[in-house]
Amino acid sequence: MEKKETKQEPAPAPAEQENGPLIEDEIERSKVGIMRALCDRQDPETKEVDDLMIRRFLRARDLDIEKASTMFLKYLTWKRSMLPKGHIPEAEIANDLSHNKVCMQGHDKMGRPIVVAIGNRHNPSKGNLDEFKRFFVYTVEKICARMPRGQEKFVSIGDLQGWGYSNCDIRGYLAALSTLQDCYPERLGKLYIVHAPYIFLTAWKVIYPLIDANTKKKIVFVENKKLTQTLLEDIDESQLPDIYGGKLPLVPIQEA
């Protein structure tokens, strides 16, 4: 008897709903719905964000709806002030961009974009804090815009080779940390700190206590002798920046 060929059906696409991809976890989905309704009463711009954003704020506050709602509403107010045009014009951050201190290229094995921040290219005496804050927001917004569909996080390599006291910017670091934690929660997937000189510990002692517990778990100091080996555990050689033994050249974020 002749066997009939069975055609394999393509895998179904992720379920979608009005506010973005369907959240599978029932508890999270329920809490997202409740939080959306609560926040929408206080700020109509809640309608403009998808459920994944609301879930990120919930996760940042251990699914506590009240705390997450307070955090999210503060974010919407901040966004209107920081991003009145919906983006940061490059003309407003020309000085920071000119130093090519942040580069973006490639993805790790989980599909998360890779960002390289080069510490010795940042000199606070040649800029000002307000511009640096806008530059940081520009950077995170650009990273988020380049994320593959279904991905919510990015990976960063903080390269401190050649970093010295002239590069130290405690106010800038704290401003960036506050913005990342308060306005872009659950966006950082992992931060590798590489080539950290001993003198960096002075700045780190000030910054570390202000990092929330969830973010602390994502930070890894990498030994120089294990640098390439450690990065290759999470990043394919074809996607790893060439300065760490990979194949991809660094691309300034404004050109990415």
Side-chain angles (χ1 to χ4, degrees), residues 78-93:
W78 168 87
K79 185 180 179 184
R80 283 190 287 270
S81 172
M82 178 60 76
L83 296 161
K85 300 175 183 176
H87 68 283
I88 301 287
E90 292 186 354
E92 294 182 4
I93 53 171

Side-chain angles (χ1 to χ4, degrees), residues 18 29 52 60 79 89 103 140 155 203 214 231 247:
E18 184 181 354
R29 188 168 65 247
L52 295 183
K79 185 180 179 184
C103 300
V140 181
V155 169
N214 287 335
L231 294 177
K247 303 292 186 183

Side-chain angles (χ1 to χ4, degrees), residues 92-113:
E92 294 182 4
I93 53 171
N95 178 59
D96 277 299
L97 288 176
S98 70
H99 297 126
N100 294 334
K101 63 182 78 174
V102 176
C103 300
M104 180 170 67
Q105 63 288 299
H107 299 83
D108 74 353
K109 293 176 182 177
M110 296 174 65
R112 301 177 295 190

Side-chain angles (χ1 to χ4, degrees), residues 76-220:
L76 291 180
T77 301
W78 168 87
K79 185 180 179 184
R80 283 190 287 270
S81 172
M82 178 60 76
L83 296 161
K85 300 175 183 176
H87 68 283
I88 301 287
E90 292 186 354
E92 294 182 4
I93 53 171
N95 178 59
D96 277 299
L97 288 176
S98 70
H99 297 126
N100 294 334
K101 63 182 78 174
V102 176
C103 300
M104 180 170 67
Q105 63 288 299
H107 299 83
D108 74 353
K109 293 176 182 177
M110 296 174 65
R112 301 177 295 190
I114 300 167
V115 184
V116 180
I118 304 171
N120 70 1
R121 294 183 183 176
H122 177 64
N123 190 329
S125 68
K126 294 181 179 179
N128 64 76
L129 183 60
D130 286 338
E131 180 178 344
F132 180 71
K133 287 179 181 179
R134 292 197 297 276
F135 170 73
F136 183 77
V137 173
Y138 166 92
T139 297
V140 181
E141 286 286 322
K142 189 132 186 179
I143 295 167
C144 294
R146 291 293 302 273
M147 284 185 184
R149 182 177 176 79
Q151 184 54 258
E152 297 182 72
K153 298 179 185 290
F154 67 92
V155 169
S156 182
I157 300 172
D159 194 326
L160 299 177
Q161 189 163 35
W163 184 95
Y165 286 122
S166 64
N167 308 116
C168 185
D169 185 7
I170 297 295
R171 291 195 305 156
Y173 300 155
L174 293 178
L177 175 65
S178 174
T179 300
L180 184 66
Q181 293 184 160
D182 297 341
C183 304
Y184 299 95
E186 297 298 306
R187 281 300 199 183
L188 178 66
K190 199 164 190 177
L191 168 60
Y192 302 92
I193 297 179
V194 306
H195 299 310
Y198 183 75
I199 57 172
F200 177 71
L201 294 179
T202 304
W204 187 244
K205 286 176 182 177
V206 177
I207 300 165
Y208 187 76
L210 301 173
I211 302 174
D212 68 39
N214 287 335
T215 303
K216 284 176 180 174
K217 295 174 187 174
K218 301 170 184 177
I219 301 173
V220 179

